[in-house]
Amino acid sequence: MAATEEAAAAEGPVLSLQGIEKQYDSGEVSVLALGGVSLDVPRGQFVAIIGASGSGKSTLMNIIGCLDRPTAGSYLLAGHDVSVLDADQRAMVRSELIGFIFQGFNLLPRTSAMENVEMPLVYLGISSEERHERAMRSLQLVGLGDRLANTPSQLSGGQQQRVAIARALVTEPEVLLADEPTGNLDSRTTDEVLAMLQWLNRERALTIVMVTHESDVARCASRIVTVKDGLILSDELVAEPRRAQAPAGAEPWRVDASGAEITARVPVESAAGGGLNWLMAFRLALRSLVRARLRASLTALGILIGIAAVVTTNALGVGAQEKMQAQMTTLGVNLLVVMPAGMRTGGVRSAQGTAVSLTDEDAEAIAREVPTVATVAATVASGAQVVAGERNVSTRVTGTTAGFFTVRSWSASLGALWTDEEVRSRAPACAIGETVRQGLFGGTDPIGSEIRVGQMPCTVVAVLARKGQSGFGQDNDDTVVMPISSFRAGITRMPNNQVNSIMVTARGPDVLRRAQDSITLLLRQRHRIRPGAEDNFGVSNLSDLTSAFNEQTAIVSALLMVVASISLLVGGIGVMNIMLVSVTERTREIGIRLAIGARGRDILAQFLIEATTLAVIGGVAGIGVGIVASLLVGRLTEFSVGFRPDIAALSMAVSGGIGVIFGFFPARSAARLDPIVALRRE
């Protein structure tokens, strides 16, 4: 043993502190914790630092462990000057060169022994297979090979401390730092832990620095350094250290000594580029979320509600537009409607269609002189009572030409539609809609049946195919259509050549606007309207009406989206609040991670990924809930719904963005925690 110490002394100390001072400023008061400490520790030595509370021994241990920086002086660890390193560099030194054993064990709760021991290797960027193998060997070395899956709550105090020792050894450090390692243990377990430390120092030549306030514990070391008032009071070698006696059968490391060799420590030069990768950070974040499932679920709920509201609102808006488009299609394809303009009385114009300014001749001129027009149908309409036997209904009656069915793209589900021959002969023929059929005949075939429209007898020659509701809220199937000549003869006293409207089909969508302009120019000429004077008619393009409706729907949808986005914003604030609470609750965990080698950016990545994962999970669930809610609303109200994949993708992006934005501040707060302050948090 003496030869080994002489060799270690020859190659230089593993720890060398020269003139170390540490001063703490608290407002206007300055406290000198260390007043110029110099200490060299040869490789392979077991040093005990002893002193009363407030003597400065813990401050000295924090500086040796790179958890704190000295105010003055220099500190060399394994030849590296660590007194000038920044926080991330000190974290790498802790990860590669130092193993920590704490008084309170500092194991992560709800985390298995294997995962606790693997943790330092995570921050070295070592692969999962190698991490698992090295952690298993380290646990076997301390006699816990059969307790790999046990959490701290399932282990005794001595077993927890052995897990902490295995974690400290797994990186094969240069120096093992033990801060009051027996402070929370009974005398039997104290001897067990001290015997293990002595064995590691003796058999593995591991350099150990132990802080204690118990002289009996300190005498187990080969050197005792006594600290008082921030200075080294005495420094003496122990000729015959007290040999700790572990209880019988409590030294399993002796049995495993030959077969449980730990893989050699990762060299500084190869580990310098390591660190926590994003995949591992995601796994750590996911484990943390799984262990706090209830809190994670409640946090994601706010995002879920916001995204669900956005998806539902958009689905209803898209559905309304699609329904409007479909309903407009029921009126006809490439359709233009010419209506008389409203009458002007006392400078006020009444509703469109209240003045009669259109005639059969206008319809004939449009068909004859506008080449972009395919079909023209003049129409007159009125409400009337329709009677069949003992049944009667009140419905809308339209008198028109045979071109009406072409313009409206309307076919017969039963019978045959009347033609222009019936118009010329004033035949009392009519086609009825499905609603009128049900009201008068139920489910029976009405073809050939006599009905009375107003006071005019009429024969049903066709039942019109079902069209459903129009874009204006009218039931297209609640109608009776008859020749315009028969209508004028028996239904209304309107002058024979006047019409309520002229329906026109353009030859294609590409000429629809040109047809509209041509009809306007033609009717202005026919009605002798002077340049600059208002038209006494109007030409409506149903595509313009659809566009106007879509614009209105888009405005309403946008307003609803704003409301939904507010709930999404509230959900994001909820994520931030919960993550801030999580940082507060997990301050000690953060301190443990920092102490064993995690860098600030590693902590930042983990908490940021946790927040983003929560938001994305909430977003995915919100999309699902939004789809279900939309379908449910559609089923209950018979309202059309429509879904856009780009909105779902945008919602996912927004939820992820919310996680990043609202999770960054809590994550940064966690990353900036001082490891010493964090470790002391209860």
Side-chain angles (χ1 to χ4, degrees), residues 357-387:
S357 60
L358 299 176
T359 63
D360 290 334
E361 288 75 16
D362 289 331
E364 292 169 0
I366 292 171
R368 183 177 59 253
E369 299 182 27
V370 180
T372 52
V373 165
T375 308
V376 178
T379 66
V380 291
S382 176
Q385 196 78 11
V386 181
V387 180

Side-chain angles (χ1 to χ4, degrees), residues 531-575:
E534 292 186 18
D535 295 337
N536 61 356
F537 61 91
V539 183
S540 299
N541 182 340
L542 289 188
S543 64
D544 290 341
L545 295 178
T546 302
S547 298
F549 177 83
N550 288 340
E551 289 177 6
Q552 294 298 321
T553 303
I555 292 174
V556 174
S557 296
L559 293 175
L560 293 176
M561 289 279 278
V562 169
V563 175
S565 298
I566 292 174
S567 65
L568 192 57
L569 178 63
V570 172
I573 294 173
V575 169

Side-chain angles (χ1 to χ4, degrees), residues 106 135 233 248 572 590 630:
N106 282 344
L233 185 64
I590 295 168
S630 302

Side-chain angles (χ1 to χ4, degrees), residues 152-221:
S153 62
Q154 298 169 327
L155 300 172
S156 67
Q159 289 171 330
Q160 290 184 59
Q161 193 62 292
R162 279 197 269 163
V163 172
I165 293 173
R167 181 181 61 192
L169 296 174
V170 75
T171 58
E172 196 70 7
E174 293 282 356
V175 179
L176 185 65
L177 301 182
D179 186 7
E180 300 280 6
T182 62
N184 288 340
L185 303 176
D186 57 40
S187 58
R188 180 180 184 277
T189 311
T190 293
D191 283 342
E192 179 184 338
V193 170
L194 289 174
M196 183 184 299
L197 294 179
Q198 287 181 327
W199 180 85
L200 288 169
N201 173 248
R202 184 174 61 254
E203 301 296 333
R204 296 298 180 89
L206 184 61
T207 305
I208 300 176
V209 178
M210 177 177 65
V211 167
T212 182
H213 63 275
E214 300 180 47
S215 58
D216 187 53
V217 172
R219 283 197 300 271
C220 291

